[in-house]
Amino acid sequence: MGHISDEKIPNNVNLSSDKKLQRALEQWQPDFINWWMEMGPSDFQAHDVYLRTAISVDTDGWAHFDFLKMPEYRWGIFLAEPVANRAIGFGESFGQPVWQDVPGEHRNTLQRLIVTQGDTEPASVEQQRMLGHSCPSLYDLRNLFQVNVEEGRHLWAMAYLLHRFFGREGREEADELLARRSGNEDRPRILGAFNEPIEDWLSFYMFTMFTDRDGKYQLLALAESGFDPLSRTTRFMLTEEAHHMFVGETGVGRVVQKSAELTRRSAHGNPRELGGIDIPTIQKYLNLWYSLSLDLFGSEVSTNAASFFGAGLKGRAKEEKFADHIALQGFYPMELPASDGKLQPQQVPLRSAMNEVLRDAYVEDCQRGVDRWNKTLAAAGLSERLSLPSRRFHRHQGAFDGMPFDPQGKLLPREEWDRRRDEWIPSAADKAYVKSLQAKPLTQPGQMAQWIAAPPRGINNQPLDFVYVRTEA
Ligand SMILES: [Fe+2]
Ligand SMILES: [Fe+2]
């Protein structure tokens, strides 16, 4: 049942039974490949990469590892198995059978949700396309490419929903997903964090730790959707997303571990003396990517979020854990800036606070990762610690948009914030330093850059000196 077909477009949705849809997607496929060749990983398209491919949507369907060239990756349409008698889990239609088609009154809203999610997938591939030229090891290079091909797969997931359920407009939106470009002034990607450049590997690990984790929470919320095809699509995407966050959390963890080792070895307790990255610099990268990722959850008080929830389109992460699935009763207490900028306690009706509820779950999850990094620092005998900045710090969305809060959440005079910016966010000099460590790719089997610790084990039980990417193409 979970088996994925061998067709030109691998799928488990019986695509060949819908000739019109199959033809439309077969026309989109070469456009996707053109986009991949133009905007995907630069210069590694002809290399054999040790990649994981889904051969079924069951849990053991991920066991397939093999060498292939990225343009030959089996991108396709994989939905998690349907849940028998699934009912809508929240909102006005709570308890009614889930929708197998798009309810007319929710058509525009659903399309917008899918386009917004879909746009992030190719965006991240574009942001990361140059990183292969500065990889710290073949192990990391392979992980980067695994993430990239899976983001391409996520793009397929959203393009399928648009083609299958949204008619001509949906097809046009699927084309637009291939036409926008990360960071492009004229046709940028939709969301801010996906237009930021990722030019070094510390940023890449922070992105996969914090921004892919936003993805996890958006997908968890959409997995609750009353629109069942969206729920099934996002449930399978979550199995892919887990690896991305593994890459991020362990990547930062290895940089932290190496930083601690070099701090102890260096004469003045400064890891930069030995070509490592110091904890204050790591903290600045964390501050940047965490705050950019918090923005992705949207406004603290949001009528859109309320209507998504009321309509049964987007729930809370793990909705079954909550007692009240209607959420018309009750308030969420928040401290929000009044017109004079001072924080005032406010009672926000629960439905309007759904972005913040999702952000809460995200923040908790991020904190667990930071705690693990801090254990590494403690084990190395260092007193320095990493921390998540206040949610109010460096925000470009919602109630705190553009307000000069410091990482502790204290409102500062604008000029003080501007003056101290480089204490909190990577400065031009920090970026130049981190980049200087990554001037050349390290592609000898078993080689590892001096600013990052080796992982405890390889991919799929392979040794660390395994040739994960055959760079002698
Ligand atoms: Fe994704
Ligand atoms: Fe991802």
Side-chain angles (χ1 to χ4, degrees):
M1 205 24 203
H3 180 71
I4 287 167
S5 79
D6 242 4
E7 291 162 58
K8 194 168 166 199
I9 300 173
N11 71 90
N12 71 338
V13 295
N14 201 7
L15 186 59
S16 55
S17 70
D18 186 340
K19 291 295 172 206
K20 196 169 160 236
L21 176 64
Q22 187 179 34
R23 264 198 307 276
L25 283 165
E26 281 180 3
Q27 277 176 25
W28 189 80
Q29 190 174 37
D31 295 339
F32 168 84
I33 292 291
N34 287 343
W35 165 81
W36 177 268
M37 297 307 286
E38 185 194 330
M39 295 311 295
S42 151
D43 278 344
F44 289 90
Q45 304 290 355
H47 296 68
D48 288 315
V49 185
Y50 189 64
L51 291 176
R52 179 181 79 158
T53 309
I55 50 171
S56 93
V57 296
D58 305 330
T59 36
D60 58 357
W62 273 122
H64 191 75
F65 283 83
D66 207 351
F67 281 97
L68 71 160
K69 298 182 186 14
M70 283 186 278
E72 291 158 13
Y73 186 77
R74 302 287 287 157
W75 285 293
I77 303 153
F78 316 142
L79 272 59
E81 292 299 299
V83 174
N85 304 316
R86 187 171 167 253
I88 298 172
F90 58 95
E92 312 295 349
S93 308
F94 178 71
Q96 293 175 20
V98 289
W99 309 302
Q100 296 306 330
D101 220 321
V102 178
E105 70 271 33
H106 301 321
R107 191 183 180 80
N108 289 341
T109 315
L110 262 176
Q111 186 178 307
R112 200 70 218 147
L113 279 170
I114 291 167
V115 165
T116 307
Q117 177 63 42
D119 191 66
T120 66
E121 314 291 355
S124 66
V125 175
E126 294 167 1
Q127 286 169 290
Q128 297 162 15
R129 69 184 299 268
M130 300 307 288
L131 289 173
H133 298 292
S134 57
C135 65
S137 71
L138 287 182
Y139 166 91
D140 290 281
L141 185 62
R142 176 262 168 219
N143 284 349
L144 166 71
F145 294 157
Q146 183 74 52
V147 170
N148 292 159
V149 294
E150 287 176 1
E151 301 302 7
R153 225 288 304 158
H154 291 177
L155 170 57
W156 268 94
M158 296 296 115
Y160 161 72
L161 291 176
L162 291 169
H163 272 264
R164 166 76 179 76
F165 295 100
F166 295 90
R168 175 216 260 271
E169 268 187 59
R171 291 192 294 277
E172 287 171 5
E173 289 286 9
D175 291 343
E176 284 298 306
L177 291 176
L178 297 174
R180 285 184 286 270
R181 292 287 181 270
S182 176
N184 186 292
E185 270 185 34
D186 300 323
R187 39 175 192 175
R189 293 295 173 181
I190 296 169
L191 300 169
F194 294 90
N195 287 305
E196 293 287 322
I198 301 178
E199 291 171 339
D200 64 77
W201 282 75
L202 184 55
S203 298
F204 170 65
Y205 298 131
M206 291 295 178
F207 181 94
T208 39
M209 169 73 189
F210 291 112
T211 312
D212 278 281
R213 195 175 306 274
D214 155 73
K216 169 184 167 182
Y217 280 85
Q218 300 304 329
L219 294 176
L220 281 170
L222 294 174
E224 300 293 335
S225 183
F227 178 45
D228 203 44
L230 177 59
S231 167
R232 291 176 54 200
T233 306
T234 47
R235 265 185 283 141
F236 186 72
M237 290 163 76
L238 280 162
T239 68
E240 294 165 314
E241 207 60 61
H243 175 69
H244 308 179
M245 283 170 297
F246 162 83
V247 169
E249 189 187 321
T250 60
V252 176
R254 289 159 54 211
V255 180
V256 168
Q257 186 189 334
K258 196 58 184 270
S259 176
E261 278 171 40
L262 296 177
T263 302
R264 303 210 52 156
R265 269 171 37 202
S266 86
H268 308 93
N270 180 1
R272 283 199 188 199
E273 288 176 2
L274 298 173
I277 306 177
D278 50 300
I279 299 297
T281 300
I282 297 172
Q283 179 71 55
K284 290 188 216 178
Y285 278 74
L286 183 163
N287 290 349
L288 175 65
W289 286 101
Y290 176 68
S291 57
L292 289 171
S293 304
L294 285 177
D295 280 340
L296 297 171
F297 289 82
S299 296
E300 284 66 17
V301 183
S302 165
T303 51
N304 273 342
S307 65
F308 297 161
F309 188 89
L313 303 178
K314 185 180 176 188
R316 288 167 288 193
K318 310 206 167 91
E319 181 63 41
E320 75 280 358
K321 289 201 312 193
F322 294 85
D324 166 19
H325 300 295
I326 310 299
L328 277 176
Q329 314 286 321
F331 295 88
Y332 187 108
M334 286 185 211
E335 291 216 296
L336 296 172
S339 48
D340 61 358
K342 291 225 173 68
L343 295 178
Q344 293 278 334
Q346 281 186 37
Q347 296 291 331
V348 179
L350 187 51
R351 275 195 190 176
S352 299
M354 285 305 174
N355 287 341
E356 195 64 8
V357 172
L358 196 59
R359 192 156 26 223
D360 284 341
Y362 168 80
V363 169
E364 224 178 88
D365 202 18
C366 291
Q367 185 62 52
R368 279 192 285 273
V370 173
D371 290 345
R372 279 188 283 268
W373 299 335
N374 283 336
K375 276 204 187 113
T376 300
L377 290 172
L382 260 68
S383 59
E384 288 171 288
R385 295 291 180 266
L386 292 162
S387 60
L388 298 176
S390 161
R391 291 183 207 202
R392 298 193 282 272
F393 171 72
H394 192 244
R395 292 291 303 280
H396 299 88
Q397 273 284 327
F400 310 108
D401 178 13
M403 297 180 71
F405 288 98
D406 74 4
Q408 282 69 47
K410 185 172 162 249
L411 190 62
L412 301 180
R414 161 68 54 195
E415 61 74 30
E416 182 180 353
W417 199 98
D418 290 344
R419 179 160 41 80
R420 298 180 60 189
R421 183 196 175 283
D422 287 357
E423 292 175 32
W424 304 317
I425 300 278
S427 64
D430 293 325
K431 289 184 199 167
Y433 175 69
V434 170
K435 272 196 207 170
S436 76
L437 301 176
Q438 304 171 4
K440 275 198 317 229
L442 295 191
T443 54
Q444 292 303 308
Q447 244 184 345
M448 189 64 59
Q450 86 285 356
W451 51 270
I452 185 167
R457 64 193 67 83
I459 290 294
N460 192 32
N461 296 319
Q462 298 293 354
L464 282 178
D465 60 0
F466 185 69
V467 184
Y468 290 101
V469 181
R470 294 179 179 150
T471 50
E472 263 87 285

